[in-house]
Structure formats: structure tokens, C-alpha cells
Amino acid sequence: MIFTKYILKEIFKNQLIILTLLFLVCFCQKLIRMLGLVIDSNISIYLIFLCLGLSMPESGKLLIPFSVFLSVLVTFYRLHAHNEIIAMYSCAVDKYIFLRSMFVFSGIVATFTMINIAWLSPYCSSYQSRLLYKIKENINLVVFSEKKFQPLVTKYLILFADSIQGSKLKNVFLSKINPDKDNNMFIIITSDQGSICRNPDGSRLIILEKGTYYEMYNKCELCKDVLITDFSQYQMLINNTIKTLYKENESVDHMSMHQLWCSDKLEMRVELHWRLTLLVSIFLMPMITTLLITVVSYNYLVNLLVTVFLYIIFFIFHILLRSCVLLDNINLIVWMWVINSIYLSIVLLLNSWDTSYIRKLVLTMCYRHHIKI
């Protein structure tokens, strides 16, 4: 029991340090992206950090299993470097002490991971999407900058205003391309003044007064095919499509485990088994790491590289399967559990590595190889 507590204490200490560093790196990366999106805007710092905080549970889906793997690796490296593993063996401690410690550690981490992937992460992702939608919706009204060309909603609509006072615009230049009808046609609108207002349904309307409308074509000579119209008032809806896109594109990341379980769609089923695989990896990878270091009597560096290689291959295949890059015509869920079964077989093989049967088999193979030479 003393050895188990000692091993768990060391692993949890390293787990906390590694997980904190990983979350800090991820947080800083997302912070840079968020600041790039809201530069020159008056979005509050509270909303920025709220969005960043809501994105952390989603990042934790991969960071927690990775931190578990690294913490076990670092812990056993330190135990190996200080000959503590040999000292434990000399005290009649067998490998099952290490395995029991790993199982307890993995079980505790898997409990928190289950809460995260089942409820916390989907809820935070859904709330973050709604919050980002509201922020982007409001940016178009309140974050205009004077004397700057800036896109409205999409890259196909560009606005320039010489002066901005509240929602009032002066000396306005508006460029528009219609990608749905004809990419070769573009529109330029100039106006002395204008304003932006919100409709009752939440969409935004730009109203230009006393201006000129130009319609031109790339494939034609500008001097021949240019439509020029003077107007007293021109109105344009600038963000009527965002809500439709937001409602139609419901992400699987926003769905709880219960919703995924009840769904019959392939995408939802693959996402469900991907989350279950994340839980399985929290048990499999620490076991493989522990057994390779404590049972297989090879060079520690070789065992370390083999462990890292197995971890990388495990997640590369699962990520490819999840994104349907590989084996499009084959049952992806079956292949997910085939990979999991292979890694479970590796755990069972390593667990029986120091048994008399495996030793006799290894000695027999070495003897036969020596006789042939």
C-alpha cells in the first residue's frame, strides 16, 4: 500500500504540472487567434476570456489523455534514473503493484474525462458557438473603423467610410461581388452619407443616401458595359445568412453522449466511439508504458521510443478514421475497435512477458537462431 501511494503521488504531481503547461500553451494559442479577430474592436475583455475558458473543455479531450501518457512516462523515467524500480523489486515488490497503481490512476482520470466528454465539453462548445455568433453579429454594427477597408460578414462585401459617428456614416464606398450568380460581375457603390440599423429579426441593414451605383464586368471593356445609376436611397441587408448557417450546421461536438447514443447517423456514431476510445486510451497507454519499462528488460531509451511510437500510431489511425480519410467503404466503427483490440493484445502480451512460457519461447528462438548461424 505504501508503494502504491508513493507511485500515485508521483504520477499525480507530474500529471498536474504537465496538464497545466499543456492548457497554458493551448490557452495562449487561442488567445492570439481571438485577439487577431477582435483587433480594433470594442469587444469587452470579459467576453474574450469567457470564450477562451469555454474552449478549454474541448481541448481537454485530447490534452488529458496526452498528459496521462506523459506523466506516466516522466514518472517512470525518474524512478528508473534513481534506481527506485530496482529498489522496489529488491523489497519483494512485483509488477502488479505498478499495474494496480496505474489502474487506480487511470480510473480516477477516466472519471473526470467521462464527465468532460459526456456533458461539460458539449455544453461549453454549444455555449461558445452561440456567444461567438453574437459577438460576430455585433461586430458588424459597432466595430467600424474610419478610413479602413473592412469586410462585412464575408469577403464579398467590403465597406469604407471616411467618417463614422455612432451608426451614421459619411463618404461611403461599398464594393460587392455576387458569388451565387456571376463571379465576373462586381458592384461599386459610393454615397455621401448612410447609416446602419437593426431589423426586428436581428438582421442588419445598411442604408445609403445620395449616391451612385456602378455595375461592371471583368470580361468586358469597362467603357462599354458599365451600368451607372444615381439614387436617393439604397438599402442592403448585410448579414441575413448567419443565423441560417448557424442553425443548420449543428456540430457533433455540441452533442452529449446520450444524444450520440440515440442517433443513427454515421457521423454521430463515429463521434460516440471516438469519445469511448479516448476513455480506453487512458487505460491502455499507461499500462503499455508501465509494462514496457518495468517488465521488458531492454535499454530504457529503446522502450521509451517504442512507447512513444505506439502512442503516436494509435492516435494517428483513430484521427484518420474519425475524419473518414481512410477506409471510406469499410465500417469505421469496427476498425476503431480492431485497433483498440490490437493494443489490448499488446498489454496482455507484455503482461505475460516475464512468465516461464514466454521465457522458454524466447530462449528457444534464440537457440535456433544461434544453431543456424
Short mmCIF file of all heavy atoms in Angstrom, two decimals, residues 273 277 314 317-318 321-322 326-343:
data_model
loop_
_atom_site.label_atom_id
_atom_site.label_comp_id
_atom_site.label_asym_id
_atom_site.label_seq_id
_atom_site.Cartn_x
_atom_site.Cartn_y
_atom_site.Cartn_z
N HIS A 273 -18.04 6.60 -30.64
CA HIS A 273 -16.98 5.61 -30.43
C HIS A 273 -15.61 6.28 -30.34
O HIS A 273 -14.69 5.72 -29.71
CB HIS A 273 -17.01 4.58 -31.56
CG HIS A 273 -18.19 3.66 -31.48
ND1 HIS A 273 -18.18 2.49 -30.75
CD2 HIS A 273 -19.44 3.75 -32.02
CE1 HIS A 273 -19.36 1.89 -30.85
NE2 HIS A 273 -20.14 2.63 -31.62
N THR A 277 -13.17 5.73 -27.26
CA THR A 277 -11.76 5.39 -27.49
C THR A 277 -10.84 6.26 -26.64
O THR A 277 -9.81 5.80 -26.14
CB THR A 277 -11.42 5.54 -28.98
OG1 THR A 277 -12.18 4.61 -29.74
CG2 THR A 277 -9.94 5.30 -29.23
N PHE A 314 -1.30 5.01 -32.55
CA PHE A 314 -2.66 4.80 -32.03
C PHE A 314 -3.56 5.97 -32.39
O PHE A 314 -4.65 5.80 -32.96
CB PHE A 314 -2.60 4.61 -30.52
CG PHE A 314 -3.94 4.39 -29.87
CD1 PHE A 314 -4.52 3.13 -29.84
CD2 PHE A 314 -4.62 5.44 -29.27
CE1 PHE A 314 -5.75 2.93 -29.24
CE2 PHE A 314 -5.85 5.25 -28.67
CZ PHE A 314 -6.42 3.99 -28.65
N PHE A 317 -4.08 6.75 -36.40
CA PHE A 317 -5.09 5.90 -37.04
C PHE A 317 -6.50 6.28 -36.62
O PHE A 317 -7.42 6.33 -37.44
CB PHE A 317 -4.82 4.43 -36.73
CG PHE A 317 -3.82 3.80 -37.66
CD1 PHE A 317 -2.54 3.50 -37.24
CD2 PHE A 317 -4.17 3.50 -38.97
CE1 PHE A 317 -1.62 2.93 -38.10
CE2 PHE A 317 -3.26 2.92 -39.84
CZ PHE A 317 -1.98 2.63 -39.40
N HIS A 318 -6.68 6.57 -35.35
CA HIS A 318 -8.02 6.92 -34.87
C HIS A 318 -8.48 8.27 -35.42
O HIS A 318 -9.66 8.44 -35.75
CB HIS A 318 -8.06 6.91 -33.35
CG HIS A 318 -8.30 5.56 -32.77
ND1 HIS A 318 -9.49 4.89 -32.94
CD2 HIS A 318 -7.51 4.74 -32.03
CE1 HIS A 318 -9.43 3.72 -32.33
NE2 HIS A 318 -8.24 3.61 -31.76
N LEU A 321 -9.44 7.71 -39.01
CA LEU A 321 -10.73 7.03 -39.09
C LEU A 321 -11.87 7.97 -38.75
O LEU A 321 -12.93 7.94 -39.39
CB LEU A 321 -10.74 5.83 -38.14
CG LEU A 321 -9.91 4.61 -38.57
CD1 LEU A 321 -9.86 3.58 -37.45
CD2 LEU A 321 -10.47 3.98 -39.83
N ARG A 322 -11.66 8.81 -37.76
CA ARG A 322 -12.72 9.74 -37.35
C ARG A 322 -13.05 10.72 -38.46
O ARG A 322 -14.19 11.11 -38.68
CB ARG A 322 -12.30 10.48 -36.10
CG ARG A 322 -13.39 11.37 -35.52
CD ARG A 322 -12.84 12.25 -34.43
NE ARG A 322 -13.86 13.12 -33.88
CZ ARG A 322 -13.64 14.36 -33.50
NH1 ARG A 322 -12.43 14.89 -33.61
NH2 ARG A 322 -14.62 15.10 -32.99
N LEU A 326 -9.37 7.45 -44.22
CA LEU A 326 -9.03 6.07 -44.60
C LEU A 326 -10.29 5.20 -44.62
O LEU A 326 -11.24 5.42 -43.87
CB LEU A 326 -8.05 5.48 -43.59
CG LEU A 326 -6.57 5.80 -43.79
CD1 LEU A 326 -5.77 5.14 -42.69
CD2 LEU A 326 -6.06 5.33 -45.13
N LEU A 327 -10.27 4.19 -45.45
CA LEU A 327 -11.27 3.14 -45.44
C LEU A 327 -12.69 3.68 -45.53
O LEU A 327 -13.55 3.40 -44.69
CB LEU A 327 -11.12 2.30 -44.15
CG LEU A 327 -9.70 1.76 -43.88
CD1 LEU A 327 -9.65 1.11 -42.53
CD2 LEU A 327 -9.26 0.80 -44.95
N ASP A 328 -12.96 4.48 -46.56
CA ASP A 328 -14.28 5.08 -46.71
C ASP A 328 -15.37 4.04 -46.90
O ASP A 328 -16.51 4.25 -46.50
CB ASP A 328 -14.27 6.04 -47.92
CG ASP A 328 -13.53 7.32 -47.61
OD1 ASP A 328 -13.47 7.66 -46.41
OD2 ASP A 328 -13.02 7.96 -48.54
N ASN A 329 -15.03 2.94 -47.54
CA ASN A 329 -16.04 1.93 -47.85
C ASN A 329 -16.10 0.81 -46.82
O ASN A 329 -16.74 -0.21 -47.05
CB ASN A 329 -15.76 1.33 -49.24
CG ASN A 329 -15.82 2.38 -50.33
OD1 ASN A 329 -16.65 3.28 -50.29
ND2 ASN A 329 -14.92 2.26 -51.30
N ILE A 330 -15.42 0.97 -45.69
CA ILE A 330 -15.39 -0.06 -44.67
C ILE A 330 -15.95 0.53 -43.37
O ILE A 330 -15.86 1.72 -43.13
CB ILE A 330 -13.94 -0.58 -44.46
CG1 ILE A 330 -13.43 -1.17 -45.77
CG2 ILE A 330 -13.88 -1.63 -43.37
CD1 ILE A 330 -12.01 -1.67 -45.70
N ASN A 331 -16.53 -0.33 -42.56
CA ASN A 331 -17.13 0.10 -41.31
C ASN A 331 -16.08 0.74 -40.41
O ASN A 331 -15.20 0.07 -39.89
CB ASN A 331 -17.79 -1.09 -40.61
CG ASN A 331 -18.71 -0.65 -39.51
OD1 ASN A 331 -18.43 0.29 -38.77
ND2 ASN A 331 -19.83 -1.35 -39.39
N LEU A 332 -16.19 2.05 -40.23
CA LEU A 332 -15.19 2.77 -39.46
C LEU A 332 -15.21 2.38 -37.99
O LEU A 332 -14.16 2.32 -37.34
CB LEU A 332 -15.43 4.28 -39.60
CG LEU A 332 -15.36 4.84 -41.02
CD1 LEU A 332 -15.75 6.31 -41.02
CD2 LEU A 332 -13.98 4.67 -41.60
N ILE A 333 -16.40 2.14 -37.46
CA ILE A 333 -16.52 1.79 -36.04
C ILE A 333 -15.83 0.47 -35.75
O ILE A 333 -15.13 0.31 -34.74
CB ILE A 333 -18.00 1.75 -35.64
CG1 ILE A 333 -18.62 3.14 -35.81
CG2 ILE A 333 -18.17 1.26 -34.21
CD1 ILE A 333 -20.11 3.19 -35.59
N VAL A 334 -16.01 -0.51 -36.65
CA VAL A 334 -15.35 -1.81 -36.48
C VAL A 334 -13.85 -1.65 -36.46
O VAL A 334 -13.14 -2.23 -35.62
CB VAL A 334 -15.79 -2.78 -37.59
CG1 VAL A 334 -14.96 -4.06 -37.55
CG2 VAL A 334 -17.27 -3.10 -37.46
N TRP A 335 -13.33 -0.83 -37.36
CA TRP A 335 -11.88 -0.63 -37.42
C TRP A 335 -11.36 0.10 -36.18
O TRP A 335 -10.22 -0.13 -35.75
CB TRP A 335 -11.51 0.12 -38.69
CG TRP A 335 -11.40 -0.79 -39.87
CD1 TRP A 335 -12.33 -1.04 -40.82
CD2 TRP A 335 -10.27 -1.61 -40.19
NE1 TRP A 335 -11.87 -1.95 -41.72
CE2 TRP A 335 -10.61 -2.32 -41.37
CE3 TRP A 335 -9.03 -1.82 -39.61
CZ2 TRP A 335 -9.74 -3.22 -41.97
CZ3 TRP A 335 -8.15 -2.72 -40.21
CH2 TRP A 335 -8.50 -3.41 -41.37
N MET A 336 -12.15 0.98 -35.62
CA MET A 336 -11.74 1.64 -34.37
C MET A 336 -11.49 0.61 -33.27
O MET A 336 -10.47 0.66 -32.58
CB MET A 336 -12.82 2.63 -33.92
CG MET A 336 -12.79 3.97 -34.62
SD MET A 336 -14.00 5.09 -33.88
CE MET A 336 -13.53 6.63 -34.68
N TRP A 337 -12.44 -0.32 -33.15
CA TRP A 337 -12.30 -1.30 -32.07
C TRP A 337 -11.32 -2.41 -32.43
O TRP A 337 -10.81 -3.09 -31.52
CB TRP A 337 -13.67 -1.86 -31.72
CG TRP A 337 -14.49 -0.83 -31.02
CD1 TRP A 337 -15.50 -0.07 -31.53
CD2 TRP A 337 -14.30 -0.37 -29.68
NE1 TRP A 337 -15.96 0.82 -30.60
CE2 TRP A 337 -15.25 0.66 -29.45
CE3 TRP A 337 -13.43 -0.72 -28.65
CZ2 TRP A 337 -15.34 1.33 -28.24
CZ3 TRP A 337 -13.53 -0.05 -27.43
CH2 TRP A 337 -14.47 0.95 -27.23
N VAL A 338 -11.04 -2.60 -33.69
CA VAL A 338 -9.95 -3.50 -34.07
C VAL A 338 -8.62 -2.95 -33.56
O VAL A 338 -7.79 -3.69 -33.00
CB VAL A 338 -9.92 -3.70 -35.60
CG1 VAL A 338 -8.60 -4.34 -36.04
CG2 VAL A 338 -11.09 -4.56 -36.06
N ILE A 339 -8.41 -1.65 -33.76
CA ILE A 339 -7.17 -1.02 -33.27
C ILE A 339 -7.10 -1.10 -31.75
O ILE A 339 -6.04 -1.41 -31.17
CB ILE A 339 -7.10 0.44 -33.75
CG1 ILE A 339 -6.99 0.49 -35.27
CG2 ILE A 339 -5.92 1.16 -33.12
CD1 ILE A 339 -7.08 1.88 -35.85
N ASN A 340 -8.22 -0.82 -31.09
CA ASN A 340 -8.24 -0.92 -29.63
C ASN A 340 -7.93 -2.34 -29.16
O ASN A 340 -7.22 -2.54 -28.16
CB ASN A 340 -9.60 -0.48 -29.08
CG ASN A 340 -9.87 0.99 -29.32
OD1 ASN A 340 -8.95 1.78 -29.51
ND2 ASN A 340 -11.14 1.37 -29.32
N SER A 341 -8.45 -3.33 -29.88
CA SER A 341 -8.20 -4.72 -29.52
C SER A 341 -6.73 -5.10 -29.72
O SER A 341 -6.16 -5.87 -28.92
CB SER A 341 -9.09 -5.65 -30.35
OG SER A 341 -10.46 -5.36 -30.15
N ILE A 342 -6.13 -4.56 -30.76
CA ILE A 342 -4.70 -4.83 -31.00
C ILE A 342 -3.86 -4.30 -29.85
O ILE A 342 -2.95 -4.97 -29.35
CB ILE A 342 -4.25 -4.21 -32.34
CG1 ILE A 342 -4.90 -4.95 -33.52
CG2 ILE A 342 -2.73 -4.23 -32.46
CD1 ILE A 342 -4.64 -4.31 -34.86
N TYR A 343 -4.19 -3.09 -29.39
CA TYR A 343 -3.42 -2.51 -28.28
C TYR A 343 -3.71 -3.23 -26.97
O TYR A 343 -2.83 -3.34 -26.11
CB TYR A 343 -3.71 -1.02 -28.17
CG TYR A 343 -2.84 -0.19 -29.08
CD1 TYR A 343 -3.04 -0.17 -30.45
CD2 TYR A 343 -1.77 0.54 -28.57
CE1 TYR A 343 -2.23 0.57 -31.29
CE2 TYR A 343 -0.94 1.28 -29.40
CZ TYR A 343 -1.18 1.29 -30.76
OH TYR A 343 -0.35 2.02 -31.59
#
